[in-house]
Amino acid sequence: MNNENKKTFYENEEYFRKIEDDLTFSLPEGNYFIIRIDGRNFSKLTRKFYEKPYDDYFKKIMIETTKFTMENCGIPILFAYTQSDEISFIINKDARAYALKMRKWLSIVPSIASSFFTFKTGHIVSFDARVLIVSKEEIIDYVSWRSEDSYRNCINNYAFYALYEDDKELNGKNQEQKLELLKERGIDFNEVNNDIKYGSIVYYMDYLKKAYNKISGKEVFAQRRVLTHKPSNEMLKKLDDLLKEEC
């Protein structure tokens, strides 16, 4: 390279920063957002290492991954929904994290989840991500949609593995007929864990912790927050309350 034509460090800095900025999209302020991440090629992973049709340990790790990401991504998440290998993070409408740069949100959130899942299981995985701009009312519709998707997939998976040697019997069967086939084979779908059937809502719960004031010598109570989870079918009517919370 001809040194006479070589650009200075500062010229390169200005030029390439401008290219970055030209392709940086900032999300609009004052909106609720949903970031949904999905496991990449998780079907191969689960076939090889986890029980079918559903694995309790896998479900446990997905909930732990959800909690860890909520606590460490730096974005004000109101609550999250998880089923199978997907997680949806519902984000406060007052969020300003990372100057609302979409590339930041869509890289930080899935990278934290991927790292945590890999660390906990020893299996190297990755999640992809997308972001949705939604209204408050649409959040409830969204979670209902994903919960129904979970329920339908759960029936299909149980039916498929119950009839693994003759899955052609499932052709043309609706949900009710598949449930009847499961019943004929001694599988009571009503006994399947609701977290598996409907997915889980992960949310912050406030509680009072008993403490001791060393100065006054009196017993006091301090307010604390902890992440917990419940099946989504038990939480759908309470989503309005979660949307009122400030992170």
Side-chain angles (χ1 to χ4, degrees), residues 1 15 36 102 104 114 126 151 188 201:
M1 180 182 293
Y15 176 74
R36 186 171 80 244
M102 189 169 69
K104 287 281 191 178
S114 301
S126 60
Y151 184 80
D188 185 355
I201 301 288

Side-chain angles (χ1 to χ4, degrees), residues 1-246:
M1 180 182 293
N2 188 337
N3 288 334
E4 293 180 359
N5 297 325
K6 184 179 179 181
K7 292 182 179 179
T8 68
F9 170 84
Y10 296 104
E11 288 174 328
N12 281 327
E13 172 85 5
E14 181 180 2
Y15 176 74
F16 288 109
R17 290 296 184 189
K18 184 180 184 303
I19 292 177
E20 287 183 1
D21 291 340
D22 287 344
L23 296 175
T24 296
F25 177 71
S26 292
L27 295 162
E29 295 182 4
N31 292 280
Y32 288 100
F33 302 101
I34 299 173
I35 294 177
R36 186 171 80 244
I37 64 174
D38 285 285
R40 177 176 173 271
N41 291 331
F42 267 48
S43 56
K44 294 180 180 179
L45 177 76
T46 54
R47 278 199 302 268
K48 187 173 183 179
F49 295 106
Y50 297 98
E51 293 182 5
K52 292 292 186 178
Y54 285 95
D55 188 290
D56 289 336
Y57 176 71
F58 180 87
K59 177 65 178 178
K60 175 176 177 289
I61 293 299
M62 285 300 296
I63 290 175
E64 289 183 9
T65 299
T66 304
K67 292 179 178 180
F68 186 85
T69 305
M70 289 175 69
E71 291 177 323
N72 292 278
C73 70
I75 300 171
I77 295 171
L78 292 169
F79 65 90
Y81 168 82
T82 180
Q83 60 131 318
S84 185
D85 65 344
E86 74 173 58
I87 308 171
S88 296
F89 300 97
I90 287 72
I91 298 166
N92 194 331
K93 63 182 176 61
D94 297 322
R96 298 293 185 272
Y98 308 111
L100 291 173
K101 291 181 179 179
M102 189 169 69
R103 63 181 172 85
K104 287 281 191 178
W105 286 24
L106 295 185
S107 58
I108 290 172
V109 170
S111 65
I112 290 175
S114 301
S115 298
F116 182 84
F117 191 101
T118 298
F119 174 76
K120 293 293 289 186
T121 65
H123 302 138
I124 298 174
V125 302
S126 60
F127 290 87
D128 60 38
R130 76 277 298 139
V131 63
L132 293 75
I133 303 173
V134 294
S135 67
K136 180 178 179 180
E137 293 72 26
E138 287 173 330
I139 291 172
I140 297 174
D141 291 339
Y142 175 88
V143 176
S144 297
W145 167 53
R146 301 316 301 147
S147 298
E148 184 175 350
D149 178 76
S150 177
Y151 184 80
R152 289 171 175 269
N153 287 339
C154 191
I155 293 175
N156 291 338
N157 285 338
Y158 267 90
F160 176 79
Y161 282 97
L163 299 168
Y164 188 76
E165 295 180 355
D166 189 19
D167 60 341
K168 291 181 180 179
E169 191 175 346
L170 295 176
N171 292 341
K173 296 288 192 301
N174 60 31
Q175 300 293 299
E176 289 73 22
Q177 291 169 326
K178 290 175 183 178
L179 288 172
E180 188 61 33
L181 286 173
L182 289 175
K183 187 175 180 181
E184 291 173 1
R185 284 158 177 76
I187 300 173
D188 185 355
F189 193 72
N190 291 323
E191 294 183 358
V192 176
N193 189 306
N194 280 339
D195 279 305
I196 296 294
K197 285 193 289 191
Y198 299 100
S200 304
I201 301 288
V202 180
Y203 63 100
Y204 288 97
M205 181 180 69
D206 295 325
Y207 70 99
L208 294 177
K209 182 178 181 180
K210 188 183 294 185
Y212 179 77
N213 189 315
K214 294 181 180 180
I215 297 175
S216 66
K218 295 180 179 180
E219 189 175 79
V220 296
F221 290 90
Q223 185 167 309
R224 296 287 186 268
R225 303 192 87 193
V226 64
L227 279 170
T228 187
H229 73 278
K230 286 185 179 179
S232 68
N233 64 314
E234 298 177 17
M235 291 295 296
L236 282 174
K237 293 181 179 180
K238 301 177 182 179
L239 292 186
D240 272 329
D241 292 333
L242 297 182
L243 290 170
K244 294 175 184 176
E245 297 291 330
E246 294 291 335

